[in-house]
Amino acid sequence: MEEVRASSAWVATRSAHVVVDSSGIEKAVEEIQGSIPKVKWDFEGIHYFDNGPLTVQYLFVLDALNFCFWPDKDLNYDNLALGLKEALQDDKSVFDADHLQKITGPQLRNLLKWPRPLPLENERVRLLHEVGLELERSFEGKAYKLVESCGKSAANLVALVTRHFPGFRDHSLYKGHQVFLYKRAQIFAADLWGAFEGQGYGEFNDIGSITIFADYIVPAVLRQLGILRYSSDLASIIEANREIGSGSEEEVELRACSVYAVEKMRELLSKKSGNQVLSVELDLWLWSVGIRCQSLQHHRTLSIYY
């Protein structure tokens, strides 16, 4: 995703609130001794997988909803992934396109066995309606048809998803410049690649084109590793759990500088090891570190994009 890399680099070279520390990158690479600790895609055992089209439908619904858990302190990604898995095991038609177009907030809560309104619940319902409608209109109601249309190219898949589904168009304006981040569209490609182990629906000849998925967790882990440094004002806001506006300079810098920093980390790891290093693998490792760290403080932004 060259537009993600290029626009993130543009932000990183002009950032006022977040600094990418090259010495921190070198230290982190030294500490992991030139290779990324391997983390299995479904290391928690929370995802649905049947090695077929239903898994693709599940992953697309999952990634349509994979955002903004923090306003409910008891809710996290595991609740979403496992809740959708169990719903699909109970009813194989639950994510059919016509069902998605009619789902309500209470019905979504019931699927997830969640006792109260979800954060940004109306937006989650709107996005499911959008997914159901466009899948039916352009892909015979099937997410696997969408995947088959990409010609085994992860970059093409991201382009298709963002073209057909406006809710995946994760970009911002920063100092008059368009910045592309595409977290949920890219993670759909990465989830397919991870779930199907690079075969079948997960076979992409350009998986290396995918960047990390700029969210809440990765910037916080990069800061903990000494790779990102924050201005005192930004650090104070995060440490006080104050909300940062979606599309604000601070928020765009946190996300774009994370992408840029991990790209630099990937380049250094590749150089030291002599092997191709994938941003997808780096992201999974960083995220697995973050979710195991109970004391990790992340930024708080209300957003449908992550």
Side-chain angles (χ1 to χ4, degrees):
M1 296 305 299
E2 190 50 41
E3 63 265 49
V4 177
R5 286 183 172 85
S7 60
S8 293
W10 195 92
V11 172
T13 57
R14 293 159 177 82
S15 177
H17 309 279
V18 182
V19 173
V20 178
D21 189 328
S22 56
S23 65
I25 293 172
E26 290 171 9
K27 185 180 176 186
V29 168
E30 287 286 326
E31 285 180 0
I32 61 175
Q33 298 179 328
S35 65
I36 314 164
K38 292 295 179 187
V39 180
K40 188 174 168 57
W41 174 75
D42 189 28
F43 67 93
E44 299 159 295
I46 57 174
H47 296 94
Y48 179 87
F49 185 73
D50 68 353
N51 203 34
L54 207 53
T55 296
V56 182
Q57 197 86 358
Y58 162 81
L59 290 174
F60 198 46
V61 171
L62 172 67
D63 291 327
L65 296 172
N66 182 6
F67 61 87
C68 205
F69 303 104
W70 64 263
D72 187 327
K73 64 181 178 59
D74 298 317
L75 182 69
N76 57 44
Y77 173 79
D78 290 13
N79 299 117
L80 177 66
L82 189 58
L84 295 178
K85 173 185 178 179
E86 291 174 349
L88 190 53
Q89 288 171 331
D90 290 342
D91 177 3
K92 293 293 191 280
S93 71
V94 70
F95 301 139
D96 285 1
D98 58 335
H99 288 185
L100 293 176
Q101 290 175 61
K102 295 181 285 194
I103 197 165
T104 65
Q107 286 171 339
L108 178 57
R109 268 178 259 155
N110 188 51
L111 285 182
L112 299 177
K113 299 181 176 67
W114 202 248
R116 52 188 172 272
L118 298 157
L120 299 179
E121 183 171 278
N122 290 340
E123 286 294 283
R124 295 179 195 275
V125 169
R126 180 183 69 81
L127 292 171
L128 288 180
H129 291 176
E130 177 186 280
V131 163
L133 181 65
E134 186 57 21
L135 281 178
E136 184 173 81
R137 183 164 53 195
S138 299
F139 301 101
E140 300 173 38
K142 307 296 183 184
Y144 82 88
K145 295 281 187 182
L146 165 67
V147 175
E148 288 179 342
S149 302
C150 78
K152 299 189 188 305
S153 165
N156 285 352
L157 180 57
V158 172
L160 269 173
V161 169
T162 54
R163 184 184 313 144
H164 283 274
F165 302 90
F168 283 84
R169 293 175 192 162
D170 176 9
H171 48 78
S172 301
L173 273 176
Y174 177 82
K175 297 182 179 179
H177 193 85
Q178 197 86 38
V179 180
F180 304 93
L181 294 161
Y182 293 153
K183 183 255 185 179
R184 291 194 287 107
Q186 290 200 92
I187 211 170
F188 178 50
D191 279 344
L192 289 164
W193 178 77
F196 289 93
E197 297 183 342
Q199 303 296 314
Y201 295 115
E203 183 182 351
F204 299 109
N205 54 33
D206 61 349
I207 193 64
S209 67
I210 298 296
T211 71
I212 64 151
F213 321 118
D215 62 0
Y216 302 98
I217 301 295
V218 171
V221 174
L222 292 173
R223 185 189 184 201
Q224 194 174 62
L225 291 172
I227 292 171
L228 292 185
R229 289 189 285 108
Y230 299 167
S231 69
S232 57
D233 285 349
L234 178 57
S236 296
I237 290 168
I238 292 171
E239 285 155 17
N241 292 326
R242 284 158 50 203
E243 194 176 319
I244 294 172
S246 179
S248 65
E249 284 194 4
E250 292 88 343
E251 189 244 3
V252 175
E253 289 177 11
L254 281 162
R255 301 183 72 206
C257 288
S258 295
V259 172
Y260 178 76
V262 176
E263 284 304 303
K264 292 299 175 189
M265 192 176 179
R266 180 186 60 78
E267 289 169 8
L268 186 57
L269 280 164
S270 295
K271 184 178 176 182
K272 282 184 175 291
S273 67
N275 300 314
Q276 183 189 28
V277 175
L278 298 175
S279 297
V280 171
E281 294 173 318
L282 266 171
D283 184 274
L284 185 56
W285 169 61
L286 290 165
W287 190 76
S288 70
V289 169
I291 62 169
R292 290 182 176 120
C293 181
Q294 297 297 316
S295 61
L296 196 70
Q297 277 197 295
H298 61 73
H299 72 281
R300 295 173 177 237
T301 296
L302 284 171
S303 172
I304 67 166
Y305 297 121
Y306 65 103

